[in-house]
């Protein structure tokens, strides 16, 4: 018992001294489990996150828009890979992780259970959803677990174009016909609140937050990051000449921040429970891709075995 | 006395300090992984250049062919839209 206590004390002392934890270092089981849960949820979110945008690749309005969207979805596949690999350093296999997603046991970001109804959604997703994700991910670059932090540095670097391409789409629509302007505002209206929910429950309702902060897995609280996001978006929306769908949104001189209205946590919880507009569709799409890709995986293994046999024979 | 040329070759990767990636530092010959680690320490970290070492049998590394460099990396060459500077953002737009 006393050895356990001293191990945990030494571990916490390393964290407090801003040292990174690496795969071979001793770590409390709860730290390992928390990271596996968080990193795999993050990985699943990248992979499922390809679906709402993949929906518009073939219908992009120009070649310029199409290559940009394609590049973004390709990045998301790559980010899923970096994250799964980081999770695997904690002693869980890719197969286990993937099974947890396909069986519905694992969670992914609730935002991807909303539909992308019009082309303007590609702009709103880029600006708001990626904007919120980047805010979370920049904070994670300083996470105490080395492989996760390093994966985040790479992800943030690559994602720097994602939000810009989204904003560019909205800006173009905002200068277009009345129909295009309406489409732009409608997409912002539908994506604003779900994006606000991406930061998770309020600090007072987030039971694991305090421990994650002590372990420096999280560096900023949910509400701190959400406020940062609001302050950013409330300024940027003016460039679009559009509005955010929150009648309570206003600058608070005293706080030095924008105030904003209450979030519908009931909706958030329903989507998390599986009752969002697209939960079933998203999982069905991932399962279909996995099952219909089985022959490709088998063929690749057979081809590798054949090549190995040929190289043995030629030596 | 053993002929050192018969020792297999190992590639050495060093983490210079906590939080950074291991980076390739060089190679050496050693009879086994343990000897390779100790030699890597003695050769590559004499001045505290590292806090962690990986050694990998050179034979286990598959490398791209230098003669194919151009065609191999060609697919990324014309994809300027993967960079943020490709997109037009108004001046004065903050935090993006």
């Amino acid at each position: 018992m006393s050895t356990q206590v001293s191990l945990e004390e030494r571990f916490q002392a390393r964290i407090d001294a801003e040292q990174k934890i690496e795969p071979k270092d001793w770590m409390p089981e709860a730290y390992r489990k928390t990271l596996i849960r968080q990193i795999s949820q993050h990985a699943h979110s990248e992979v499922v996150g390809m679906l709402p945008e993949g929906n518009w690749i073939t219908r992009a309005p120009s070649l310029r828009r199409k290559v940009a969207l394609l590049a973004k979805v390709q990045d998301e596949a790559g980010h899923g890979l970096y994250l799964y690999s980081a999770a695997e350093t904690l002693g869980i296999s890719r197969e286990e992780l993937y099974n947890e997603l396909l069986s519905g046991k694992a969670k992914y970001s609730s935002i991807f259970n909303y539909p992308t109804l019009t082309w303007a959604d590609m702009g709103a997703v880029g600006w708001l959803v990626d904007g919120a994700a980047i805010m979370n991910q920049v904070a994670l670059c300083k996470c105490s677990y080395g492989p996760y932090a390093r994966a985040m540095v790479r992800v943030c670097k690559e994602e720097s174009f994602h939000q810009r391409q989204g904003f560019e789409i909205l800006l173009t629509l905002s200068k277009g016909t009345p129909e295009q302007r309406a489409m732009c505002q409608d997409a912002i209206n539908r994506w604003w609140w779900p994006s606000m929910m991406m930061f998770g429950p309020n600090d007072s309702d987030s039971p694991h937050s305090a421990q994650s902060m002590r372990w420096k897995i999280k560096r900023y609280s949910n509400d701190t990051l959400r406020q940062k996001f609001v302050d950013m978006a409330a300024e940027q929306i003016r460039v679009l000449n559009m509005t955010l769908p929150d009648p309570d949104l206003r600058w608070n001189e005293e706080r030095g921040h924008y105030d904003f209205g209450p979030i519908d946590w009931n909706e958030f919880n329903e989507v998390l429970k599986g009752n969002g507009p697209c939960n079933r569709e998203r999982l069905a799409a991932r399962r279909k891709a996995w099952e219909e890709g089985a022959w490709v995986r088998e063929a690749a293994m057979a081809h590798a075995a054949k090549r190995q046999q040929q190289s043995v024979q030629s030596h | 006395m053993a002929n050192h040329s018969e020792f297999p070759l190992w590639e050495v990767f060093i983490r210079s300090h906590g939080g950074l990636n291991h980076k390739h530092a060089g190679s050496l010959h050693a009879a086994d992984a343990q000897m390779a680690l100790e030699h890597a320490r003695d050769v590559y970290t004499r001045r505290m250049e590292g806090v962690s070492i990986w050694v990998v049998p050179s034979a286990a590394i598959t490398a791209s062919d230098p003669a194919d460099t151009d065609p191999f990396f060609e697919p990324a060459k014309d994809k300027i839209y993967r960079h943020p500077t490709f997109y037009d953002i108004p001046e004065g737009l903050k935090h993006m």
Side-chain angles (χ1 to χ4, degrees), chain A residues 60-79:
Chain A
S62 70
L63 188 55
R64 188 181 197 274
R65 295 289 186 226
K66 187 171 181 167
V67 291
L69 191 56
L70 201 51
K72 187 170 183 289
V73 174
Q74 283 175 332
D75 274 355
E76 279 148 14
H79 298 168

Side-chain angles (χ1 to χ4, degrees), chain A residues 20 22 64 67-68 71 74 127 150 160-161 163-165 167-168 171 236 239, chain B residues 15 18-21 81-90 93-96:
Chain A
K20 293 287 185 223
E22 297 294 342
R64 188 181 197 274
V67 291
Q74 283 175 332
W127 177 45
R150 290 190 290 274
S160 54
F161 92 78
Q163 200 190 10
R164 290 172 72 110
Q165 69 88 38
F167 195 84
E168 197 193 69
L171 189 64
Q236 292 175 344
V239 179
Chain B
R15 187 200 302 286
L20 299 182
N21 291 305
Y81 48 84
R82 287 176 177 166
H83 298 274
T85 44
F86 181 74
Y87 301 90
D88 296 324
I89 294 298
L93 184 74
K94 279 186 256 169
H95 308 297
M96 198 177 286

Side-chain angles (χ1 to χ4, degrees), chain A residues 164-213:
Chain A
R164 290 172 72 110
Q165 69 88 38
F167 195 84
E168 197 193 69
I169 290 171
L170 293 182
L171 189 64
T172 307
L173 290 170
S174 76
K175 292 174 178 166
T177 63
E179 288 82 2
Q180 286 169 328
R181 286 184 51 76
M183 196 163 93
C184 180
Q185 182 64 60
D186 168 64
I188 293 167
N189 291 350
R190 281 182 291 108
W191 287 95
W192 173 248
W193 289 109
S195 300
M196 291 283 279
M197 296 174 196
M198 285 176 71
F199 297 94
N202 288 127
D203 296 346
S204 51
D205 300 320
S206 183
H208 303 299
S209 271
Q211 181 57 267
S212 282
M213 296 276 277

